[in-house]
Amino acid sequence: MDKKLLLKSHFHFIGIGGIGMSAIAIGLLKKGCSVSGSDLVKNDETKKLEKLGAVIFTSQTRENIEIVISKFTNKLINFVVSSAIKPENEEFSYCREKNFSIKHRSDILAMLMHTYTTLAVAGSHGKTSTSTFLSTILELCTRNSSSITGGIIPIYNSNCHLEDTKYLVAEVDESDGTINRYKSDIGIINNIDFDHCDHFSNLSEVISSFKSFAKNSKKLLVNFDCETSRNNIYSNCKWSNTSAKNVAYAIIPTEINSKYTIGKYYENGNFISSLNIPIPGLHNLSNITAAIAASRMIGVDFIEIKKNIKYLKLPKKRFEFRGQIDERSLFDDYAHHPNEIKETIKLGRLLIQQKDKEYQKSRLIAIFQPHRYSRVKQFTKEFAEELSKADVIYVTSIYGAGEGNEDKITSKIITDLIYKKNKNVIYINNYYEVTNNFYELTQKGDFILNMGAGDCHNFWSILNKKNTQNR
């Protein structure tokens, strides 16, 4: 779609408040398009969109569509949906009934990507963190880069920074199979793992999806340390954190503590320099290595990268410190897959072991809100295995994300398995129940990890509000 046609278009997003949908909507507004959208829940994203000029509906009815049609008569109207929107959604079904132009969110993102030199970040885990690190490096080193991601990037305080720049960092999602629609100048594959059991039946289908993405990338950057990626995706450009041999880029860690990581940086087996990275965790080091490697692939000067590495920060909801209440420290993390929980708990342990005296005798408390019934069904044993490594575990009811629950699955299948390994586990219905019993469930000095991909990240706000009221 050329610029003139874009400006003549109006985009209505059904479910505009989601982190991915809102990013694209913001991007279109910045391109000069008119935008409207609906969502049943008002959040920071919908408020931001309203300030930028979007028309926001807090219901999802056919009347909304009729209002949009009547209001934007001089525009070519496109209705945008994500795979999360069910066929029975009233707006969606009315648009189909009337044969209106319906686009998937991936079509709009692919269209925006087409107008830039695009670095597309893919992978089963760490996409948002890698996108954030890459966006930060390119912003500071080139001042000629835009971003559309699935998280809030600290340097922009937004999930979208779309300007008239040369480069675009785009986070691309494999969860619904639409990853094959994206064409990029540099494609980055963080890792490949079995997930999104509502769409994929097995790991082979996931691999096939990433192979399609790889074919659509002019250049490809792949994580050598991920066995599945290494064995199934061919590329001359690979990165590693275990060996500098046979890879184009490597950072070999010499020290990882609770505050930073020190590593030796190599290109094509040649030592270049030591780096002091202000973010702990081996999984974060892998994501940062990918970001540095991608920057070098487009010609960013290494001296500039090294100078600006100190400004790297994690995106929101990625091991994000929310605050302290009565000597209990709370961290939010988006971990919703067993392998992500594994890394988050490992990082929590690192902080407890190496922090100052305030954490030395801390218990690691895991509060987990499972996300999707299909994921719980597929990974029950793996969830139990990783969560049991915390000192105390509280598991809430499942956040269904619109899925049906024909098998009547509950979180108790996880807690029952955890109990065999760790008796300090309790099923708790919801976060209001956790809040109401917070002081009975926790003690001073506790290090609390609140994990999940649903609405669990409202916990701090609920807890803080109640604590303020009780003062």
Side-chain angles (χ1 to χ4, degrees):
M1 191 180 286
D2 63 31
K3 196 168 184 179
K4 285 183 180 177
L5 189 57
L6 196 63
L7 293 174
K8 289 178 183 176
S9 300
H10 176 84
F11 296 86
H12 178 84
F13 287 76
I14 303 174
I16 199 168
I19 196 73
M21 290 278 270
S22 62
I24 297 168
I26 290 169
L28 290 170
L29 284 163
K30 293 203 170 187
K31 288 289 183 186
C33 300
S34 61
V35 169
S36 61
S38 63
D39 212 291
L40 300 177
V41 180
K42 271 201 166 189
N43 59 19
D44 290 343
E45 277 62 58
T46 57
K47 289 172 191 171
K48 190 185 297 180
L49 283 159
E50 278 188 305
K51 282 183 182 176
L52 289 170
V55 177
I56 303 294
F57 299 91
T58 53
S59 62
Q60 291 187 326
T61 64
R62 62 190 294 160
E63 285 77 21
N64 296 346
I65 305 301
E66 290 166 353
I67 290 168
V68 169
I69 296 291
S70 62
K71 187 177 175 67
F72 299 98
T73 50
N74 61 333
K75 299 268 189 174
L76 175 65
I77 301 175
N78 295 281
F79 295 93
V80 185
V81 297
S82 72
S83 298
I85 303 302
K86 302 300 177 190
E88 59 270 21
N89 178 285
E90 194 174 322
E91 286 189 6
F92 189 17
S93 60
Y94 185 62
C95 289
R96 294 199 315 275
E97 180 189 315
K98 294 291 183 180
N99 289 319
F100 293 147
S101 172
I102 300 170
K103 305 284 187 186
H104 191 273
R105 65 174 292 277
S106 57
D107 296 321
I108 310 301
L109 178 56
M111 176 190 73
L112 291 170
M113 288 167 62
H114 184 66
T115 60
Y116 293 86
T117 297
T118 297
L119 297 90
V121 182
S124 298
H125 314 295
K127 292 185 292 291
T128 303
S129 294
T130 303
S131 299
T132 295
F133 300 143
L134 181 54
S135 296
T136 304
I137 290 170
L138 294 188
E139 175 63 32
L140 295 174
C141 295
T142 72
R143 302 290 178 186
N144 198 13
S145 184
S146 295
S147 296
I148 296 181
T149 66
I152 304 300
I153 301 174
I155 198 168
Y156 302 131
N157 194 30
S158 179
N159 50 350
C160 178
H161 174 78
L162 203 63
E163 305 293 342
D164 188 16
T165 59
K166 179 178 181 180
Y167 301 111
L168 171 67
V169 177
E171 178 180 342
V172 297
D173 179 29
E174 82 286 358
S175 66
D176 56 5
T178 56
I179 195 171
N180 61 1
R181 299 180 189 180
Y182 303 116
K183 290 180 170 60
S184 61
D185 295 277
I186 294 180
I188 302 160
I189 299 179
N190 268 359
N191 40 58
I192 301 174
D193 202 353
F194 183 39
D195 195 9
H196 308 293
C197 330
D198 55 318
H199 182 80
F200 299 109
S201 300
N202 50 53
L203 180 59
S204 295
E205 289 184 7
V206 180
I207 292 168
S208 178
S209 187
F210 279 108
K211 282 183 174 179
S212 297
F213 169 75
K215 283 179 184 174
N216 287 334
S217 304
K218 291 179 184 175
K219 291 182 181 178
L220 193 64
L221 178 62
V222 176
N223 182 1
F224 182 80
D225 297 338
C226 171
E227 186 180 354
T228 307
S229 303
R230 184 173 69 242
N231 291 342
N232 291 281
I233 308 290
Y234 175 77
S235 172
N236 287 323
C237 294
K238 295 184 279 287
W239 83 87
S240 175
N241 300 118
T242 57
S243 173
K245 295 178 181 177
N246 303 315
V247 294
Y249 307 93
I251 300 178
I252 308 302
T254 55
E255 183 182 349
I256 299 178
N257 62 37
S258 60
K259 292 181 180 176
Y260 56 82
T261 300
I262 296 174
K264 293 182 176 180
Y265 177 68
Y266 296 82
E267 287 187 3
N268 298 310
N270 301 311
F271 173 71
I272 305 296
S273 178
S274 288
L275 289 174
N276 191 327
I277 296 162
I279 294 169
L282 194 56
H283 62 298
N284 286 322
L285 180 62
S286 178
N287 298 333
I288 290 165
T289 309
I292 293 172
S295 302
R296 295 289 292 136
M297 285 173 73
I298 60 169
V300 179
D301 185 63
F302 176 74
I303 301 299
E304 282 297 304
I305 294 171
K306 184 174 180 178
K307 186 172 77 178
N308 288 295
I309 210 91
K310 61 187 175 186
Y311 298 111
L312 291 182
K313 291 180 181 178
L314 284 163
K316 289 189 177 181
K317 300 180 185 176
R318 272 63 176 184
F319 217 88
E320 180 186 5
F321 176 61
R322 298 306 303 274
Q324 202 171 56
I325 290 180
D326 199 16
E327 297 179 41
R328 296 148 167 89
S329 300
L330 181 70
F331 291 77
D332 264 350
D333 198 275
Y334 198 68
H336 55 281
H337 183 280
N339 287 337
E340 294 165 354
I341 290 169
K342 179 181 180 178
E343 295 302 328
T344 302
I345 289 178
K346 195 189 292 182
L347 185 52
R349 288 285 180 209
L350 180 68
L351 264 69
I352 288 171
Q353 287 163 12
Q354 297 189 354
K355 266 277 188 186
D356 299 329
K357 289 179 182 178
E358 59 177 308
Y359 287 132
Q360 284 297 308
K361 294 178 182 177
S362 296
R363 299 184 306 171
L364 195 155
I365 310 292
I367 307 176
F368 178 54
Q369 181 191 54
H371 186 263
R372 292 188 177 274
Y373 304 106
S374 57
R375 189 179 279 120
V376 171
K377 182 181 178 182
Q378 180 67 44
F379 298 117
T380 307
K381 289 179 183 176
E382 292 84 352
F383 278 127
E385 176 67 30
E386 299 308 331
L387 287 165
S388 66
K389 294 172 184 175
D391 296 313
V392 181
I393 308 102
Y394 302 121
V395 183
T396 74
S397 55
I398 299 166
Y399 186 87
E403 273 191 341
N405 187 19
E406 295 82 7
D407 297 322
K408 307 296 181 194
I409 290 168
T410 75
S411 299
K412 289 178 182 177
I413 63 172
I414 297 175
T415 55
D416 287 349
L417 272 182
I418 293 173
Y419 190 78
K420 293 177 181 178
K421 296 172 176 288
N422 185 339
K423 299 293 187 281
N424 297 316
V425 59
I426 299 174
Y427 166 78
I428 297 180
N429 189 41
N430 56 50
Y431 278 84
Y432 288 98
E433 207 172 300
V434 178
T435 303
N436 290 335
N437 299 285
F438 184 68
Y439 290 100
E440 289 75 38
L441 298 170
T442 62
Q443 63 188 39
K444 287 184 178 182
D446 280 350
F447 189 100
I448 303 165
L449 294 178
N450 177 39
M451 296 177 284
D455 58 7
C456 55
H457 303 292
N458 297 328
F459 176 46
W460 171 252
S461 302
I462 298 166
L463 186 62
N464 211 23
K465 186 178 178 182
K466 183 177 176 65
N467 193 58
T468 304
Q469 288 170 348
N470 291 343
R471 280 177 183 169

